[in-house]
Amino acid sequence: MKRAFILTPLIILYIGLVFIKSAGAGQTSILHVNIEIIKAHRDSAVVDPQLKGLIKELGPILNFSGFSLIKKSKTALKVNDKTRLILSHDRHVELKFLEFDDYKARLSLRILEKKKETFKTVLLLIDNGSALIGGPPHEGGTLLLRIKAKFE
Amino acid sequence: MNKECIYISGNLSAYSDNELPEEKYREIKKHLETCTECKVILNELEKTGATIKTAFSCDDADIDFSGIWEKIESNTDFRPSLWQRIIRFRCKPVVWMPAVFAGAAACLLICFMPNFHAGPDSRTPMQASRVESVYSSTGQVMVMQTAKSGNPLIWILPGADKEAG
């Protein structure tokens, strides 16, 4: 009887904390997206100071030695918000924050060329997570797109 | 007061009430003839006895004892007070042991509760970002992971020799 008297408030406290935490987990509504357009090359060892980490990330896989930042853009998206970023005169990237679920943001990314969709992906991004998209040749190098996500 | 006086004084009450065997009674009587101290004690005992007898000299038939205990119980609260109960509760170590264990268990549960002391990034069951789906008009796409952090890397292989930008 006495044990129950002591344990009951503790159990209620624990359940309450679990509920508070789980309620707080679903509160992320704004996704901060950082988009970087990068040129990667093999004929130079020049690395932009902001991109030093990429040598370790991509060097062993794709044998790139130099990275230069072409463009950088920051945006904050709510669910179902869209944003566009111009890559070149006839090419742009479109991002759409689809939903936030189970501690990850679902982000749709499309590359449109002359209003025609040439590439599309859906990324599941964790908080402070990132994804890289690359491949198209660009001015003697290779074009890379780095998407970084931060939850609010 | 010598040893004999101590022994005699212990039996004076019985002597006064004539409850002693004759031999002992005579022995005490003989002592009292010579010992003034014991005589004084005897006198005091007799006086006290007489006072009590006077006080209770009323007729027993006049007193009604029926239901007297119930009346006493109804007028008296024999339960311990709140303060006495608190003191008793505090003084029982056996009660505190389960409380200590329960508290420790609760602390452990709270500390090791999933995602209690970290931000939303560490709460995720997913350790890194992922690619859910991918499409390219060239039809040639590779999905890899970066070497250090394991972040997704989508590599579009151009279908034709076409320069971007």
Side-chain angles (χ1 to χ4, degrees):
Chain A
M1 187 69 184
K2 280 171 186 170
R3 283 183 191 185
F5 181 75
I6 295 158
L7 281 171
T8 306
L10 291 170
I11 290 164
I12 291 165
L13 177 74
Y14 176 70
I15 292 166
L17 283 167
V18 170
F19 272 104
I20 289 163
K21 282 284 155 190
S22 54
Q27 283 177 352
T28 298
S29 57
I30 296 172
L31 178 70
H32 293 272
V33 184
N34 197 335
I35 309 153
E36 290 167 323
I37 300 164
I38 303 154
K39 184 187 160 192
H41 39 88
R42 294 188 176 96
D43 54 351
S44 161
V46 178
V47 179
D48 194 297
Q50 296 177 63
L51 306 169
K52 276 184 179 173
L54 277 178
I55 298 172
K56 286 180 183 172
E57 294 280 15
L58 295 180
I61 308 166
L62 297 162
N63 205 24
F64 288 118
S65 55
F67 296 96
S68 51
L69 188 66
I70 298 169
K71 198 187 274 185
K72 194 175 179 179
S73 174
K74 272 185 184 180
T75 184
L77 299 172
K78 288 183 182 174
V79 175
N80 291 322
D81 275 0
K82 275 184 187 178
T83 187
R84 280 186 176 197
L85 180 71
I86 295 166
L87 286 174
S88 61
H89 66 280
D90 61 346
R91 183 182 280 139
H92 64 264
V93 182
E94 188 183 274
L95 292 170
K96 187 179 179 185
F97 180 20
L98 300 174
E99 63 172 332
F100 181 81
D101 180 41
D102 198 18
Y103 310 111
K104 58 187 180 287
R106 182 173 272 111
L107 186 78
S108 161
L109 185 146
R110 294 164 74 208
I111 296 175
L112 297 136
E113 201 172 326
K114 293 174 187 169
K115 295 185 180 178
K116 190 186 166 193
E117 187 182 272
T118 55
F119 176 80
K120 186 185 178 182
T121 184
V122 176
L123 302 167
L124 298 173
L125 296 166
I126 60 165
D127 193 14
N128 292 315
S130 67
L132 278 158
I133 298 157
H138 177 74
E139 293 175 4
T142 305
L143 202 67
L144 274 173
L145 198 65
R146 183 158 69 172
I147 315 291
K148 286 182 185 173
K150 187 160 177 60
F151 303 163
E152 186 183 310
Chain B
M1 192 178 249
N2 56 34
K3 277 186 181 177
E4 196 183 357
C5 286
I6 292 164
Y7 166 73
I8 295 295
S9 64
N11 290 289
L12 281 176
S13 180
Y15 173 85
S16 172
D17 295 336
N18 286 322
E19 289 170 349
L20 291 172
E22 198 165 339
E23 194 182 334
K24 211 169 191 177
Y25 181 84
R26 267 190 243 145
E27 186 191 341
I28 291 168
K29 193 177 180 182
K30 196 180 173 184
H31 177 83
L32 287 167
E33 283 169 5
T34 54
C35 181
T36 50
E37 281 182 28
C38 289
K39 218 169 186 176
V40 169
I41 292 166
L42 180 66
N43 286 338
E44 288 294 323
L45 276 171
E46 282 175 344
K47 273 183 193 175
T48 310
T51 309
I52 292 164
K53 276 177 187 170
T54 312
F56 286 96
S57 62
C58 58
D59 189 358
D60 287 353
D62 293 342
I63 302 167
D64 180 19
F65 287 103
S66 62
I68 190 80
W69 189 244
E70 285 80 3
K71 282 179 188 173
I72 291 165
E73 276 189 333
S74 66
N75 290 323
T76 316
D77 187 6
F78 289 107
R79 289 176 303 171
S81 67
L82 178 66
W83 180 245
Q84 285 171 323
R85 275 182 277 168
I86 290 165
I87 294 292
R88 278 185 202 173
F89 184 75
R90 281 198 61 178
C91 293
K92 281 184 180 175
V94 71
V95 176
W96 286 101
M97 287 309 287
V100 167
F101 281 116
C107 287
L108 282 170
L109 281 170
I110 289 164
C111 291
F112 291 102
M113 190 169 66
N115 321 309
F116 180 74
H117 42 55
D121 54 329
S122 61
R123 287 193 302 232
T124 174
M126 239 166 55
Q127 295 301 310
S129 301
R130 285 202 323 242
V131 177
E132 190 180 81
S133 65
V134 67
Y135 157 81
S136 172
S137 59
T138 63
Q140 298 179 72
V141 178
M142 281 172 71
V143 179
M144 301 176 276
Q145 281 188 325
T146 54
K148 196 184 169 193
S149 61
N151 284 321
L153 169 65
I154 302 168
W155 204 253
I156 306 161
L157 301 165
D161 290 340
K162 185 177 151 188
E163 182 152 302

